[in-house]
Amino acid sequence: MDISAFVLFWAAIFTSNILLTNFLGMCSYLSVSKEIESSFGLGVAVIFVLTATSALNWLVYHYILVPFDIVYLQFIVFIIVIAAFVQFLELLIERYAPALYYTLGIFLPLITVNCAILGVSLFMIIRSYNFIQSIAYGAGSGIGWLLAILMLAGIRRKLKEKMVPIGLHGAGISLIITGIMAMGFIGFSGIVQIQ
Amino acid sequence: MKLKDIFITSAFTENSVWRQILGICSALAVTNLMKNSLIMGLGVIFTLAFANLTISFIRNWTPRSVRMMVQTLVIASYVIIVDIFLKANMPEISKQLGPYVGLIITNCILMGRAEAFASQNKPLDSFIDGIGAGVGYTLVLLVISFIRELFGFGSIFGIQVMGDWWTPWSIMVMAPSAFFILAMLIWHINTRFYKAKV
C-alpha cells in the first residue's frame, strides 16, 4: 500500500470512519453516549490507546510473530498486548496524573473489550500498512470514533425532551441516528478510497 | 432449570442482540450477504458453546482477580480454531469476513455469557446456554442479511430471485441500511413481544 500517512489519517476520520462504515466499537458507543462529558473522556482514552496499541502491535507482529513463524497466534498476542498496555497506562496515570485518572480512570478497563482497538490492529495487518501508516491510521480512527460518539451524545441530549416511541427508547433511536450520520459520512466517500 | 428452558431463554426471551444490545458490531458488518452471515453465525455458535463449556469447567479453579483474562484467552483460543478452519476450507469467505472473525474475541456476547452464566453454572447448562445465545445471534444476522441481500443484490444465498427488471438499491449494500434495519427489528420486537406501548 503506498498511500501517504497523511491521507490515511484523514481517510480514517472521514471516508472510512471506524464506527460509521466498519461498525466497530458499537457496544461502548451505545452505552456511554448518554452524557457529553463521559463520551469525551472515553473518546480521548480511545484515541490514546488506539494510537499506542497500533504502533505496539505493528512492532510485535513484524519483529516477533513473523520471524518466529507464529502468525496464527496473532489474535491472542494482540489482545494480550492491548490488555497489558491498558493496565500499564492505568497505573501510570494513577501515579503521575491523579486528576486525569479521575476523569479517564473508569473508562480504561472498558477499552480493552472495545472492538475498535483490536479491529484497527487487524485491519492494519490485513492491509499491510507500514509503521508510520499504522500510527496514522490508529490515530485517525480514534479521532473518528470520538467524533461519532460526541455527535451521538449531543443529539441524544436534545432528544431527552422529545417524544420517542417507547419501543425505540435507548438503543433503537440511537441506531437510527447513527444510520443517518453514516449516510452523511457517505458524502465524504468520493474524496479518497482506502478499502 | 431444564436444558430446554435455558436454551429458549438465552436464544429468544433474553436474546443478546435485541434485549441486551450486545454484539452489534459484527451483527452489522457481515450482514451484506446471507452466506457470510450464516458462516459467521456458525463460528459464533461454536466459539460460544465451547468457550462457555471450558470456562464452566475451570470456574472453581479460576481466581476472581484474573478471571477476565482467563476468559479472554479461552475465547481467543477457540476463535483461532475457527479462523484456521475457515482459512483452510473456505478461503474466499474467510477473505470477505476479514478481521471480523478475529473480532469474535471482543464480541460482547461472549464475555457477557461467560461472565453472567458460565462462571456460575454447571458445564452442560453453560454449553446449552452458549448454543442458545449463538442461535439467537445467528437468527438476527440472517434476518438482517435477508433484507439487505434481497434488496441490495436481488438474490438470496447468492441465488438470483429478482428478474432483470429489478434495480438493486445501493443503499442496502452500504453501511446505513444495517443501522436502520436493526433499529426497526428492535422496535418491532419490543412492541410486539415485550408489550412496550407506542
Side-chain angles (χ1 to χ4, degrees):
Chain A
M1 283 279 250
D2 45 338
I3 306 176
S4 91
F6 184 72
V7 173
L8 204 56
F9 175 76
W10 292 105
I13 301 177
F14 293 110
T15 60
S16 40
N17 186 296
I18 193 81
L19 194 132
L20 297 172
T21 57
N22 289 320
F23 312 103
L24 295 176
M26 288 296 293
C27 294
S28 36
Y29 168 81
L30 288 177
S31 56
V32 180
S33 59
K34 289 189 189 89
E35 284 163 32
I36 294 188
E37 286 78 36
S38 44
S39 311
F40 187 75
L42 182 63
V44 171
V46 165
I47 295 178
F48 198 73
V49 174
L50 256 178
T51 316
T53 54
S54 56
L56 277 176
N57 278 339
W58 192 93
L59 292 173
V60 166
Y61 184 84
H62 288 275
Y63 290 104
I64 298 177
L65 295 186
V66 173
F68 287 98
D69 203 17
I70 44 172
V71 173
Y72 57 88
L73 284 180
Q74 57 169 324
F75 298 149
I76 286 194
V77 174
F78 284 177
I79 201 89
I80 290 175
V81 168
I82 292 168
F85 179 77
V86 171
Q87 200 95 102
F88 173 72
L89 191 69
E90 205 177 339
L91 291 175
L92 208 68
I93 295 179
E94 194 180 7
R95 177 77 178 76
Y96 292 105
L100 188 66
Y101 182 73
Y102 287 113
T103 33
L104 284 188
I106 43 166
F107 301 117
L108 284 171
L110 261 180
I111 287 180
T112 313
V113 288
N114 186 328
C115 29
I117 313 285
L118 184 60
V120 165
S121 290
L122 294 176
F123 268 125
M124 90 196 173
I125 297 301
I126 288 177
R127 296 179 187 162
S128 47
Y129 291 152
N130 65 29
F131 187 61
I132 304 295
Q133 284 174 328
S134 301
I135 294 179
Y137 183 63
S141 301
I143 294 170
W145 198 86
L146 172 73
L147 203 65
I149 194 171
L150 270 186
M151 289 196 295
L152 181 66
I155 296 172
R156 277 181 81 167
R157 193 169 72 173
K158 294 275 176 204
L159 219 59
K160 272 181 195 154
E161 302 133 27
K162 303 286 184 289
M163 302 277 280
V164 176
I166 289 177
L168 270 179
H169 271 201
I173 192 73
S174 306
L175 282 170
I176 291 181
I177 295 168
T178 314
I180 296 170
M181 278 169 16
M183 277 170 80
F185 271 64
I186 285 182
F188 291 119
S189 65
I191 304 173
V192 63
Q193 200 60 260
I194 58 159
Q195 280 309 318
Chain B
M1 239 196 321
K2 275 199 237 108
L3 292 181
K4 196 183 142 206
D5 295 335
I6 293 175
F7 180 82
I8 301 280
T9 311
S10 65
F12 302 105
T13 40
E14 283 305 316
N15 181 294
S16 306
V17 180
W18 69 64
R19 282 304 277 177
Q20 303 166 8
I21 321 291
L22 295 177
I24 307 274
C25 314
S26 50
L28 295 170
V30 300
T31 48
N32 52 353
L33 292 171
M34 282 192 88
K35 205 167 157 196
N36 293 357
S37 306
L38 186 67
I39 301 292
M40 181 73 180
L42 291 178
V44 170
I45 293 177
F46 171 84
T47 319
L48 255 172
F50 284 96
N52 259 4
L53 184 72
T54 317
I55 289 164
S56 175
F57 265 126
I58 58 172
R59 72 186 187 281
N60 294 331
W61 295 283
T62 319
R64 278 199 77 71
S65 50
V66 294
R67 69 181 194 292
M68 294 286 236
M69 206 62 225
V70 173
Q71 287 165 0
T72 313
L73 290 184
V74 169
I75 293 167
S77 320
Y78 285 110
V79 171
I80 289 179
I81 297 176
V82 172
D83 186 51
I84 291 176
F85 179 83
L86 286 183
K87 273 198 184 118
N89 293 306
M90 306 166 194
E92 204 163 291
I93 290 186
S94 166
K95 211 167 182 185
Q96 280 177 13
L97 290 177
Y100 293 101
V101 177
L103 286 170
I104 297 178
I105 300 173
T106 45
N107 190 324
C108 326
I109 297 179
L110 283 121
M111 282 300 264
R113 291 330 290 172
E115 191 64 17
F117 200 95
S119 59
Q120 289 140 26
N121 286 285
K122 289 203 281 296
L124 184 62
D125 292 4
S126 307
F127 187 71
I128 299 296
D129 176 78
I131 293 183
V135 168
Y137 171 82
T138 311
L139 210 65
V140 176
L141 249 63
L142 286 179
V143 171
I144 299 177
S145 60
F146 174 75
I147 301 172
R148 286 184 74 184
E149 193 180 337
L150 185 66
F151 290 108
F153 297 97
S155 58
I156 293 173
F157 274 112
I159 300 161
Q160 205 68 29
V161 287
M162 302 291 209
D164 291 336
W165 51 272
W166 176 254
T167 314
W169 302 7
S170 54
I171 184 86
M172 284 291 174
V173 186
M174 291 190 283
S177 68
F179 289 112
F180 292 135
I181 295 169
L182 183 63
M184 292 303 152
L185 192 70
I186 291 174
W187 187 10
H188 176 74
I189 287 172
N190 275 345
T191 357
R192 177 81 177 72
F193 299 104
Y194 296 92
K195 304 277 180 288
K197 292 279 176 324
V198 179

